[in-house]
Amino acid sequence: MAAQPARILIVDDDPIIRRFVGSLLVHNGYEVHEAEDGEAGLHAASAVRPALILLDLVMPYRDGFEVINALKEDPATGSIPILIVSVKDREEDVVKALNLGADDYMIKPFSTQELLARIRKILERSS
Amino acid sequence: MHEILIRLIVGTGLLLGALTLLIAVNKAAREVREALDRRRRAILEPAVFEYANATGHRSILDYLPKSLGRRDRRLAGAILLDAARVVRGESRDRITAACEALGAVRASILGLKSRRWWTRAEAAERLGLMRSRTAVEPLVALMSDPVGEVRIRSARALGIIRGSTSIRPLVLALTDPSRWSAIRVAEILIDVGSEAVGELLAAYDSLPHHARVSALDVLGRIRSLEASGLIRGALQDPHPDIRARAANALGQIGDPGFADELVRALRDTEWPVRAMAAKAIGRVGAPAAIPPLCEALKDRQWWVRANAAEALRLIGPAGREALIRMLDADDTFARHQAVAQLEEGRIIDEYLADLTSPDAARRDAAIGFVEKIIRLERVDHLTQVAIDHAQEGVRLALLKILQRPQGAS
Amino acid sequence: MIVQSVLSEIVLAFNRGVIYYFALLSGVYVVLFLVSLVEVLRFVRRTFFSDYEQILKSDMTWPVSIVVPAHNEARTIVETVRSLLNVNYGQFEVIVVNDGSSDDTLKQLVVTFDLKRTDKIYRRTLPTGPVRALYATLELPNLLVVDKERGGKAEALNTGINVSRYPLYCSVDADSVIEENALLRVVKPFMEHPDEMVAVGGIVRIANGCEVREGRVTRIGLPKKALPIFQVVEYLRAFLSGRIGWSTLRSLLIISGAFGLYRKAEVIAVGGYDRWSETEDLELVLKLHDHLNRRGRPYRIVFVPDPVCWTEVPGTFRVLARQRNRWHRGLLQSLWRHKRMILNPRFGVIGMIALPYFVIFETLGPFIEILGYLMIALSWWLGLLNLDFFLLFLIFAIFFGVFLSVAAVLLEEISFRRYPGWEHLAMLVIVGVLENFGYRQVLSLFKVKAFWDFLRRRRAWGRMEREGFRPGAPPAPRF
């Protein structure tokens, strides 16, 4: 049933990622919102209430871990699933992110088909 | 005199004017160029991204506007490379195909022959991102370029593209006169992985000293069992640097069979070798190594002691008990290193839980443990736990011990 | 009559001397500028695609201990430490040394980061005053706070060195705002020449007029007040045209205390920082040159033409005067202490070129300049003044000064372009002209006074009052 397209929020300080992934998602039927750092991401999350947040870890002012914490602490955004997309590939980082509340983790560079599949999976689970 | 001065003044005045003009023109030109590029990019980028994210066999030329000037082609190439940095898999292959279709690969291969070194370096870097196999041969040729930056970017590009003929030149590049370049080549080889092992083993003996050191590091990081024979041999090398790296590499490979040799290396005359041996033993996990590790806790060098303590912790329960025994050692630094490791590994906290154990023997053991630490005057952590610990029973018991006057048992 | 003619002779001879002196100095400046120009161009080309990502990820990158001496920095210390903990680097530790602050600097740190007392033991390699306690937490294993009694910046740095673990340490002023990739930039020379490199400095930029958020510069702008703008141009000249040139000529004498990366072993070998020095960072570098030249092995102390940190400069005349007074006195102290290096071929380029430069031009220069003005007045009174010549000379001197300043702005424009707007560029060029009409002369006056104070051995350690976004007390950075 073609209801409203699902809203996805991309939080990443790299404009290429935002535009590239944005283009990918739009062409696959999603509605895309962007934020360029942690602060903006938190504002956007509570304003837009996306169905899913794609979050980078390495960002200035507030890194991704802090953002996960803040998102989970706020009841308005606590239930929004989070998919981390980051260059950080160390075990400790993945575990830390998942423990803090992220739902999934992808390492950059990523495969676009894989990204789409994981997004679909998360959205199915949460609907 | 006047003449000279007047001429100097006029000269300086002109230079000044020229400089200011230069700055202004340079800035203006750059801004115009950037504005134009931005506008063009706003049109081309969505098309390029759409192509990259799509599936199917349509060429990129289908997605882009029909009449593509040279500037547009270059811009499209740049956008493709921007995307290439963030994706892998099918999209990446599509980007490679697009670069070939646009003629960007050909243009960059031509750029490899430029007389200006930074053009060559840039071209090499771009070819790496484009990942086209056709670039392998010209890149291999560039590995003997006179300029270091060019060599290293060619090496990096080869490491990414990974044709079968590119490994040998990369291994040879470990001998690059620039130390930093050699390090980067090592990283590239590590990324290549097990494909590189054969060439590394074959070339090792003919490599000069610092290249051998890098080769050992690479083999260790690749965790190649195939190379263990060579690395064990290197443990006996006359040069301490090589012995140290060999020890480190054995630790990274992690085969418990290395334990004996590593224990012997723990007694090396040079401290970097001892430090690396201690670290490696921790990774390899050999209970037989516990007594020599305890000896190493008394080493003069901090790194050796720290690595030895960590190794003891990593070995398992037997190692932890050894650490606790070392709390009574006669060497100050050994004692403190033992406590530090127990604190950092949070082992102390686990033992403290025993303070409320129903088993009297365990309770006594825990109390004795706490007393030992108090005698070592490392009470700060304990004091903190006495306040923070989740279980009230533990807090009370700990406080009681802490408040006892010194000397009472 | 005889007196008058003798006087005339003296004045004429002096005037001629000044002209030669000025010619020589101009020559030196032009050479330095050209050398810097070449080096900046090369550097910009080389780092077009930066290697910094590789350095970041590499296992072989040397770990660094960041040492931050702090005295009464309660307002900003947490922000600073946070931004340091988030610096873009692999393995590093942050050591804050609380130098007996009278405000709640320590408390802020302990409370914010949930630190606990710890009994880490360490070797007191360098002598320092009493250390009260160390604080750390298992959650942030690379943060360590040392609380000690007041002993001054030099001692605080030495304490930080004692406690540090890694072979390299980086001294950072508590009120500097560090660029994200700063550590990567200054460690690169160590990666390229691991055996020889001993110390590396970078470009210090002026933070007045910039927006700073959570320890990062978010928007770059020129200061609003006049005095700091003059200093912006001065710093551009000093760093871009000056230090880069000296560094390329292997004679770098000054690494800013606001940010510098050093090899710990060598610093310990020369005894660390000295309490008696007004400019302990300058003294350290001189000591290093002294020691390393005598040891005879090749070594390098370089400057990366890359901006690494932002710092606030004095906004009022009085504070500026005190700062420059201290800098110059410190320079004189160190020159005096190491006088046997001057014109001593044993000390290579440093002894034969850099130090004599500092003596002849930096030390004597202000005197000659002030004396020059007096002589002009005297010449006029004696009727010796050739007005045409004098005017021409004056015009030439001003043009030359403006040329140097504009050249520095050009260097900035072709390389780093940190000041993006046209209005910035225009302002910098204008100020580059104006500074020759008073600012530079005033700086020379400061130096003359400083010389006098040095002779009288005044030990005033003025407190610099701070305004704008960073109130606090520690001494200003120097170049």
Side-chain angles (χ1 to χ4, degrees):
Chain A
M1 170 148 54
Q4 259 193 323
R7 268 182 245 149
I8 301 191
L9 171 65
I10 306 177
V11 184
D12 196 313
D13 61 333
D14 182 355
I16 298 287
I17 291 271
R18 292 199 302 270
R19 299 202 292 261
F20 185 76
V21 177
S23 161
L24 172 72
L25 295 177
V26 160
H27 278 101
N28 279 276
Y30 297 101
E31 185 185 308
V32 172
H33 295 260
E34 299 179 17
E36 59 180 16
D37 64 54
E39 286 281 343
L42 289 170
H43 287 312
S46 40
V48 165
R49 304 288 182 94
L52 169 68
I53 300 179
L54 293 177
L55 178 61
D56 183 20
L57 285 181
V58 180
M59 291 185 294
Y61 311 124
R62 282 219 202 204
D63 70 9
F65 296 120
E66 288 180 49
V67 173
I68 303 178
N69 269 332
L71 284 171
K72 291 300 168 192
E73 270 169 30
D74 182 356
T77 54
S79 55
I80 306 180
I82 303 172
L83 201 171
I84 304 285
V85 184
S86 171
V87 284
K88 283 193 170 206
D89 55 357
R90 291 184 313 174
E91 192 184 2
E92 323 69 282
D93 298 313
V94 179
V95 169
K96 183 171 173 188
L98 292 172
N99 282 342
L100 283 177
D103 291 72
D104 204 347
Y105 197 113
M106 284 191 72
I107 299 177
K108 289 184 204 169
F110 55 87
S111 150
T112 49
Q113 298 305 313
E114 195 184 322
L115 180 66
L116 286 173
R118 287 185 192 245
I119 291 178
R120 239 174 278 137
K121 187 97 196 280
I122 295 182
L123 288 176
E124 271 171 23
R125 246 190 285 142
S126 59
S127 67
Chain B
M1 239 333 197
H2 282 168
E3 283 292 306
I4 304 177
L5 264 183
I6 292 181
R7 255 182 243 162
L8 274 173
I9 290 179
V10 171
T12 319
L14 283 176
L15 255 176
L16 208 53
L19 258 182
T20 321
L21 207 62
L22 186 64
I23 300 177
V25 165
N26 181 298
K27 194 176 170 76
R30 211 174 356 100
E31 285 192 0
V32 164
R33 229 181 317 139
E34 279 172 11
L36 279 176
D37 271 346
R38 241 174 315 178
R39 215 165 337 144
R40 261 338 252 168
R41 193 175 174 128
I43 300 177
L44 291 173
E45 193 183 82
V48 172
F49 283 173
E50 191 187 333
Y51 161 79
N53 286 323
T55 48
H57 295 287
R58 281 165 62 206
S59 154
I60 184 167
L61 296 168
D62 286 345
Y63 289 76
L64 293 172
K66 286 308 155 199
S67 53
L68 271 186
R70 196 156 49 107
R71 184 178 209 95
D72 279 347
R73 268 175 201 265
R74 218 173 328 138
L75 205 49
I79 300 174
L80 282 168
L81 291 185
D82 279 341
R85 288 196 176 95
V86 298
V87 286
R88 58 179 179 84
E90 193 189 330
S91 305
R92 192 65 191 271
D93 294 332
R94 288 175 71 78
I95 291 175
T96 303
C99 290
E100 284 169 356
L102 280 173
V105 175
R106 212 174 340 120
S108 292
I109 293 183
L110 279 174
L112 290 179
K113 303 204 181 71
S114 163
R115 252 178 316 154
R116 289 183 292 206
W117 68 263
W118 53 90
T119 312
R120 297 200 297 274
E122 254 184 75
E125 178 110 7
R126 275 202 290 265
L127 283 170
L129 283 170
M130 291 186 222
R131 269 206 189 159
S132 170
R133 297 250 147 175
T134 54
V136 171
E137 257 193 64
L139 283 171
V140 170
L142 222 57
M143 295 278 282
S144 26
D145 192 281
V147 177
E149 281 301 309
V150 178
R151 292 197 300 271
I152 194 60
R153 300 210 196 278
S154 311
R156 194 148 66 192
L158 282 174
I160 299 175
I161 305 178
R162 263 181 236 192
S164 52
T165 48
S166 33
I167 310 268
R168 183 128 235 276
L170 283 176
V171 170
L172 292 175
L174 282 176
T175 59
D176 196 293
S178 155
R179 289 286 281 274
W180 175 224
S181 292
I183 292 178
R184 287 183 283 177
V185 170
E187 307 264 323
I188 292 168
L189 282 169
I190 293 171
D191 278 338
V192 170
S194 37
E195 285 172 48
V197 174
E199 288 287 349
L200 279 166
L201 291 177
Y204 183 81
D205 285 325
S206 54
L207 291 174
H209 170 71
H210 71 266
R212 288 194 195 183
V213 166
S214 304
L216 286 170
D217 271 330
V218 172
L219 288 167
R221 290 273 296 276
I222 299 180
R223 308 193 65 190
S224 159
L225 269 176
E226 199 186 328
S228 19
L230 179 97
I231 305 181
R232 286 168 116 141
L235 254 189
Q236 317 289 346
D237 193 285
H239 205 293
D241 252 353
I242 301 224
R243 297 200 299 274
R245 296 309 175 95
N248 191 29
L250 287 177
Q252 282 169 315
I253 300 178
D255 185 344
F258 299 146
D260 287 336
E261 287 146 298
L262 287 171
V263 167
R264 250 173 285 148
L266 253 189
R267 301 202 189 94
D268 197 287
T269 47
E270 301 291 331
W271 72 262
V273 187
R274 297 199 299 272
M276 287 295 130
K279 188 159 154 201
I281 295 178
R283 284 216 177 101
V284 148
I290 293 183
L293 280 176
C294 291
E295 276 306 302
L297 271 185
K298 304 181 193 162
D299 198 288
R300 274 285 294 176
Q301 285 293 334
W302 185 81
W303 275 116
V304 182
R305 295 199 301 272
N307 285 356
E310 198 183 23
L312 281 169
R313 178 169 66 87
L314 291 172
I315 283 183
R320 288 151 65 156
E321 293 194 9
L323 275 175
I324 296 177
R325 261 178 287 134
M326 287 309 285
L327 291 176
D328 292 322
D330 42 10
D331 180 290
T332 327
F333 283 105
R335 289 199 299 270
H336 279 269
Q337 193 59 247
V339 177
Q341 190 60 228
L342 290 169
E343 268 175 26
E344 273 172 49
R346 309 205 194 226
I347 299 175
I348 292 190
D349 297 16
E350 289 173 29
Y351 272 94
L352 292 179
D354 272 352
L355 282 174
T356 50
S357 166
D359 180 345
R362 289 174 70 153
R363 250 200 335 267
D364 287 338
I367 294 178
F369 179 66
V370 172
E371 286 173 346
K372 261 193 228 187
I373 300 188
I374 296 178
R375 273 199 294 274
L376 281 175
E377 294 178 27
R378 302 274 299 215
V379 291
D380 283 350
H381 180 72
L382 291 176
T383 320
Q384 206 55 48
V385 175
I387 304 173
D388 285 347
H389 201 279
Q391 292 178 263
E392 190 179 344
V394 174
R395 293 201 304 271
L396 290 174
L398 196 49
L399 269 172
K400 216 164 59 163
I401 308 176
L402 282 171
Q403 281 161 353
R404 267 191 233 148
Q406 292 293 64
S409 60
Chain C
M1 279 301 105
I2 307 181
V3 171
Q4 195 155 12
S5 68
V6 164
L7 209 55
S8 304
E9 282 303 307
I10 296 176
V11 168
L12 281 172
F14 182 84
N15 286 346
R16 231 172 313 160
V18 165
I19 293 177
Y20 289 139
Y21 180 88
F22 181 74
L24 191 58
L25 181 59
S26 308
V28 171
Y29 281 151
V30 169
V31 167
L32 272 179
F33 169 70
L34 287 173
V35 172
S36 301
L37 178 67
V38 169
E39 181 62 26
V40 167
L41 283 175
R42 256 184 41 196
F43 180 81
V44 167
R45 292 245 148 76
R46 275 183 61 208
T47 54
F48 185 43
F49 285 104
S50 63
D51 287 319
Y52 300 130
E53 214 182 280
Q54 275 245 276
I55 298 182
L56 180 61
K57 292 207 204 150
S58 169
D59 257 6
M60 311 271 225
T61 304
W62 295 26
V64 172
S65 300
I66 305 179
V67 176
V68 189
H71 178 71
N72 288 352
E73 294 278 8
R75 289 238 341 219
T76 53
I77 189 68
V78 169
E79 195 177 288
T80 305
V81 171
R82 230 193 231 131
S83 75
L84 285 175
L85 285 172
N86 281 328
V87 86
N88 225 7
Y89 201 73
Q91 204 182 358
F92 67 98
E93 62 174 350
V94 177
I95 301 175
V96 182
V97 183
N98 179 35
D99 187 29
S101 298
S102 48
D103 65 4
D104 58 344
T105 300
L106 182 63
K107 180 148 162 247
Q108 292 268 341
L109 287 169
V110 171
V111 165
T112 316
F113 296 105
D114 198 24
L115 301 174
K116 330 239 192 305
R117 283 182 71 133
T118 170
D119 319 87
K120 181 176 153 150
I121 64 166
Y122 58 94
R123 245 182 254 276
R124 278 164 213 261
T125 336
L126 295 167
T128 66
V131 168
R132 292 197 279 238
L134 281 84
Y135 295 85
T137 171
L138 288 171
E139 306 298 322
L140 289 166
N142 63 342
L143 173 63
L144 183 67
V145 175
V146 180
D147 182 29
K148 71 179 285 290
E149 300 188 358
R150 180 108 170 94
K153 189 166 171 196
E155 235 188 54
L157 283 165
N158 286 344
T159 311
I161 294 176
N162 282 348
V163 180
S164 67
R165 291 189 245 184
Y166 296 132
L168 296 179
Y169 83 89
C170 180
S171 77
V172 173
D173 272 356
D175 58 349
S176 304
V177 179
I178 307 296
E179 290 243 337
E180 232 183 340
N181 289 335
L183 268 186
L184 292 171
R185 291 181 191 152
V186 290
V187 93
K188 189 153 181 239
F190 275 97
M191 308 296 295
E192 288 171 337
H193 303 275
D195 298 324
E196 296 177 355
M197 197 62 61
V198 168
V200 178
I203 297 183
V204 175
R205 297 262 170 185
I206 293 183
N208 302 48
C210 296
E211 261 178 40
V212 176
R213 222 182 99 195
E214 290 191 38
R216 280 222 165 81
V217 172
T218 46
R219 195 148 51 99
I220 300 171
L222 284 179
K224 307 277 186 312
K225 294 172 70 162
L227 206 54
I229 305 184
F230 280 105
Q231 292 173 70
V232 170
V233 178
E234 187 193 354
Y235 271 54
L236 280 182
R237 237 180 328 111
F239 279 99
L240 288 182
S241 299
R243 270 190 225 182
I244 296 179
W246 285 119
S247 169
T248 317
L249 295 171
R250 306 279 191 112
S251 6
L252 185 65
L253 279 187
I254 305 175
I255 289 183
S256 174
F259 191 92
L261 186 64
Y262 303 84
R263 192 189 231 126
K264 197 164 75 170
E266 304 291 0
V267 171
I268 292 179
V270 298
Y273 294 89
D274 288 294
R275 279 195 75 163
W276 53 261
S277 170
E278 303 279 7
T279 49
E280 65 274 326
D281 42 1
L282 168 64
E283 174 60 24
L284 176 67
V285 177
L286 260 181
K287 276 201 294 188
L288 284 171
H289 279 297
D290 191 334
H291 168 79
L292 293 166
N293 266 304
R294 266 186 292 144
R295 195 181 61 181
R297 285 205 300 263
Y299 74 97
R300 287 175 197 242
I301 294 183
V302 302
F303 195 80
V304 291
D306 223 338
V308 284
C309 83
W310 301 79
T311 190
E312 205 187 338
V313 295
T316 63
F317 190 81
R318 207 170 40 140
V319 181
L320 180 67
R322 252 181 285 165
Q323 183 199 60
R324 299 310 170 100
N325 183 288
R326 189 164 41 83
W327 288 5
H328 202 65
R329 261 186 303 126
L331 173 67
L332 294 170
Q333 280 173 325
S334 292
L335 283 177
W336 181 249
R337 192 156 172 109
H338 295 270
K339 55 185 177 292
R340 66 153 169 243
M341 288 172 71
I342 303 176
L343 286 177
N344 186 337
R346 189 134 176 249
F347 294 98
V349 194
I350 301 273
M352 299 300 283
I353 299 185
L355 284 175
Y357 166 86
F358 270 90
V359 171
I360 300 175
F361 296 114
E362 292 283 327
T363 315
L364 295 179
F367 284 103
I368 296 185
E369 194 178 330
I370 303 295
L371 216 57
Y373 296 132
L374 290 175
M375 282 298 174
I376 290 173
L378 198 57
S379 305
W380 177 74
W381 183 70
L382 282 174
L384 292 167
L385 194 60
N386 184 339
L387 206 59
D388 287 345
F389 183 75
F390 167 65
L391 277 174
L392 282 178
F393 192 73
L394 190 66
I395 293 177
F396 174 62
I398 292 175
F399 265 34
F400 189 73
V402 173
F403 171 77
L404 285 177
S405 304
V406 172
V409 174
L410 171 70
L411 270 180
E412 156 71 9
E413 186 51 33
I414 62 178
S415 52
F416 308 110
R417 272 177 261 127
R418 282 295 197 271
Y419 297 106
W422 282 97
E423 67 275 19
H424 298 144
L425 198 56
M427 177 67 85
L428 287 175
V429 172
I430 291 174
V431 168
V433 174
L434 287 178
E435 71 165 353
N436 294 282
F437 293 97
Y439 179 69
R440 280 169 136 179
Q441 288 75 6
V442 161
L443 291 185
S444 295
L445 272 173
F446 289 159
K447 291 187 186 167
V448 171
K449 174 161 188 296
F451 195 95
W452 179 243
D453 290 338
F454 166 69
L455 289 180
R456 281 174 37 197
R457 298 193 188 225
R458 259 187 64 200
R459 285 292 169 95
W461 179 274
R463 304 227 357 250
M464 172 171 149
E465 12 153 20
R466 207 64 61 81
E467 51 184 288
F469 71 99
R470 296 275 177 116
R478 34 196 99 91
F479 66 80

